[in-house]
Amino acid sequence: MGGRPLVYDLTRTFVGPLFATPRGVDRVDFLLARHFSQDSRRNFFGILPTPWGMRIYEADRVQRGLARLEELWAETTEPADDLAYQNLVRALAGRGSNPRRRPRNTVGGLRKGRRMASLIAATGFSFGRPAITSIPENAIYLNVGQYTIAIPLLMAWLDRRRDVRSALMLHDTIPLYEPELVSQNSARTHVTMVRSVARYGAGLIVTTAHARETILRALAAEGRSGIRTLSVALPLAETFDSAAKPDPLLKNIPYFVVCGAVEPRKNHLLLLNVWRLLCESPEPAPHLLVVGSPGWRGQPILNEMLRCPKTRGKIHHVAGLSTQAMKSLIAGSLGLLSPTRAEGFGLPIIEALHLGAPVVASDIPAHREVAGDTATLLDPNDGPAWRSAISALNSDQSRRRTPRPATVASRERAEFVNAIDEFLDAI
């Protein structure tokens, strides 16, 4: 039985070459775009905003673009070939970095242009077809990337195609209810996204029950109620289908990992304060690996962490790691730390638990849902409790959990895709 025609918003994947590596939501967006573009059950089209309006593109062109994007992100790059990872390992092992082999963790303007040009070349330049007149009747419009939802002009085509049913994903409402943790622009953007869902959404996709509750509350404030909603946990990327291999050079080097953008919401300075105290202790302090790029107001935080005299040589920063390199780091660590003050989901926690690494995370609703009693959950303001938990893991370095079978990630990914697929037909 064939499904209804599907129009998939490719805006997030199209701008993927502008970033050296993808975030968790980028991988999920990529996963669904690839799945549905290869699904023979549906008549598939990708949709993009262009200077000549919203245009649609056929499945084969979309597939070529996705294949090129995967190459640009280097998702399958092994740790031995990841220069950022290799320099980090050399620094931890006391060997210094290789000055002749500098990683390219950021994408400068010229390189961004080249990467975008290579993506367009891989797909073959095309003006596409106008969305309003070319999308089949009674199609479904799916948007999990959120970019377009934040720009009313790019959603306006739906006013002229009332037969098209929209399934839209919102990840959280942090900027609405905790605006002090984000930029003013982010808060304004989220208001716009909620209004777009209220106006156009036939279905809402969320990642946790907590997100569902807060988003429905925001929609009610906009006069929208009764929207059909799917709450489904985000899956792990395909690279988690294989076992992780801790780096032998780091075997006897104790370290913890904190992942994600460096910004006030992530609460990195709590860890800096903990590490100051650990470095004052007579016991050798473990290393802390800060993995992620600076976000809003993040550079001053990162500077403070890296320049602190008391923790010099114990706190390290790296960005742009391949997923395979990240797996290796987490698998060989004493644990993943996530003291964030607010979160919509918490994918790094799921990744760490999958790999068997202990997790110490903030006691917030999203983390209770995704981790439950499999992680140590602490008040993100309770520095002594964090120091105690980290010290305990450092003194007993055998507290690793058993990694989940690699097949689990594949099964959960299939269940995620199937849940989305069934939801689309239900709306």
Side-chain angles (χ1 to χ4, degrees):
M1 178 180 176
R4 294 171 64 180
L6 179 65
V7 182
Y8 192 92
D9 195 297
L10 295 167
T11 308
R12 179 178 284 271
T13 56
F14 181 74
V15 301
L18 300 180
F19 307 96
T21 54
R23 297 186 302 169
V25 66
D26 298 321
R27 295 186 179 98
V28 172
D29 191 32
F30 180 93
L31 166 70
L32 290 173
R34 182 167 60 185
H35 166 77
F36 285 115
S37 68
Q38 297 174 348
D39 184 3
S40 59
R41 200 174 63 91
R42 294 185 184 276
N43 188 12
F44 174 91
F45 301 92
I47 187 170
L48 280 172
T50 74
W52 43 91
M54 298 297 290
R55 314 288 283 198
I56 63 170
Y57 299 86
E58 280 68 28
D60 59 343
R61 191 181 300 276
V62 173
Q63 291 166 15
R64 291 197 298 271
L66 293 173
R68 178 56 183 150
L69 178 59
E70 190 172 31
E71 294 173 352
L72 291 170
W73 277 341
E75 280 292 85
T76 57
T77 299
E78 292 295 327
D81 299 318
D82 188 322
L83 299 186
Y85 174 81
Q86 288 300 318
N87 278 350
L88 175 65
V89 169
R90 290 175 64 88
L92 284 170
R95 301 185 180 187
S97 63
N98 187 338
R100 293 175 297 177
R101 290 169 58 84
R102 292 295 183 188
R104 305 175 77 179
N105 299 333
T106 58
V107 183
L110 181 60
R111 190 171 173 225
K112 287 179 181 179
R114 289 173 176 169
R115 286 163 65 94
M116 289 298 299
S118 74
L119 177 66
I120 295 172
T123 61
F125 179 80
S126 170
F127 287 100
R129 291 187 287 150
I132 293 174
T133 58
S134 303
I135 292 176
E137 289 187 2
N138 300 314
I140 298 170
Y141 167 64
L142 176 59
N143 186 322
V144 302
Q146 293 195 155
Y147 286 175
T148 313
I149 304 174
I151 305 174
L153 179 64
L154 302 183
M155 297 291 288
W157 66 275
L158 288 164
D159 288 321
R160 298 176 59 183
R161 287 299 307 267
R162 292 293 185 178
D163 60 300
V164 175
R165 306 283 283 174
S166 299
L168 310 174
M169 174 180 275
L170 285 182
H171 306 141
D172 59 67
T173 53
I174 294 169
L176 299 182
Y177 298 114
E178 299 176 272
E180 71 280 3
L181 299 178
V182 301
S183 68
Q184 290 183 351
N185 182 63
S186 181
R188 288 192 295 267
T189 295
H190 267 67
V191 169
T192 302
M193 289 194 293
V194 168
R195 289 174 177 169
S196 291
V197 174
R199 180 179 179 88
Y200 299 110
L204 169 67
I205 303 171
V206 298
T207 57
T208 62
H210 175 68
R212 179 181 185 275
E213 176 186 344
T214 57
I215 293 170
L216 290 180
R217 189 193 319 157
L219 287 172
E222 294 294 330
R224 178 67 191 275
S225 60
I227 187 171
R228 186 185 291 266
T229 307
L230 171 67
S231 179
V232 57
L234 298 179
L236 298 179
E238 290 182 353
T239 48
F240 285 86
D241 291 350
S242 59
K245 300 176 182 178
D247 197 301
L249 286 178
L250 302 180
K251 182 177 180 180
N252 297 314
I253 300 176
Y255 66 90
F256 291 85
V257 179
V258 54
C259 300
V262 181
E263 56 190 21
R265 175 170 65 92
K266 298 293 187 176
N267 202 20
H268 285 76
L269 291 183
L270 175 136
L271 296 180
L272 173 59
N273 291 331
V274 167
W275 248 258
R276 284 192 180 113
L277 296 173
L278 291 175
C279 289
E280 292 175 350
S281 169
E283 298 296 324
H287 294 266
L288 174 64
L289 310 187
V290 181
V291 182
S293 301
W296 176 70
R297 294 185 177 177
Q299 192 60 55
I301 295 172
L302 187 58
N303 291 343
E304 186 173 352
M305 298 186 79
L306 297 179
R307 296 172 183 174
C308 176
K310 291 184 178 180
T311 61
R312 184 169 291 119
K314 289 295 184 178
I315 298 181
H316 314 263
H317 173 248
V318 65
L321 290 179
S322 67
T323 304
Q324 296 286 12
M326 177 67 75
K327 280 174 54 182
S328 181
L329 273 187
I330 294 175
S333 74
L334 295 181
L336 177 89
L337 308 176
S338 182
T340 179
R341 298 184 182 280
E343 205 66 58
F345 185 65
L347 194 56
I349 291 177
I350 300 298
E351 294 171 345
L353 293 173
H354 178 80
L355 297 171
V359 171
V360 183
S362 52
D363 188 4
I364 57 177
H367 288 172
R368 290 181 215 126
E369 285 193 51
V370 302
D373 58 3
T374 60
T376 299
L377 300 182
L378 303 173
D379 185 331
N381 297 311
D382 190 347
W386 282 81
R387 180 188 177 189
S388 176
I390 291 168
S391 296
L393 288 171
N394 187 42
S395 61
D396 182 3
Q397 299 179 11
S398 63
R399 295 191 180 190
R400 293 190 57 80
R401 305 174 64 89
T402 302
R404 298 195 308 170
T407 55
V408 172
S410 177
R411 186 184 71 243
E412 291 178 348
R413 198 164 50 250
E415 292 172 350
F416 171 81
V417 169
N418 289 337
I420 299 288
D421 211 349
E422 292 175 1
F423 182 69
L424 296 182
D425 285 335
I427 67 170

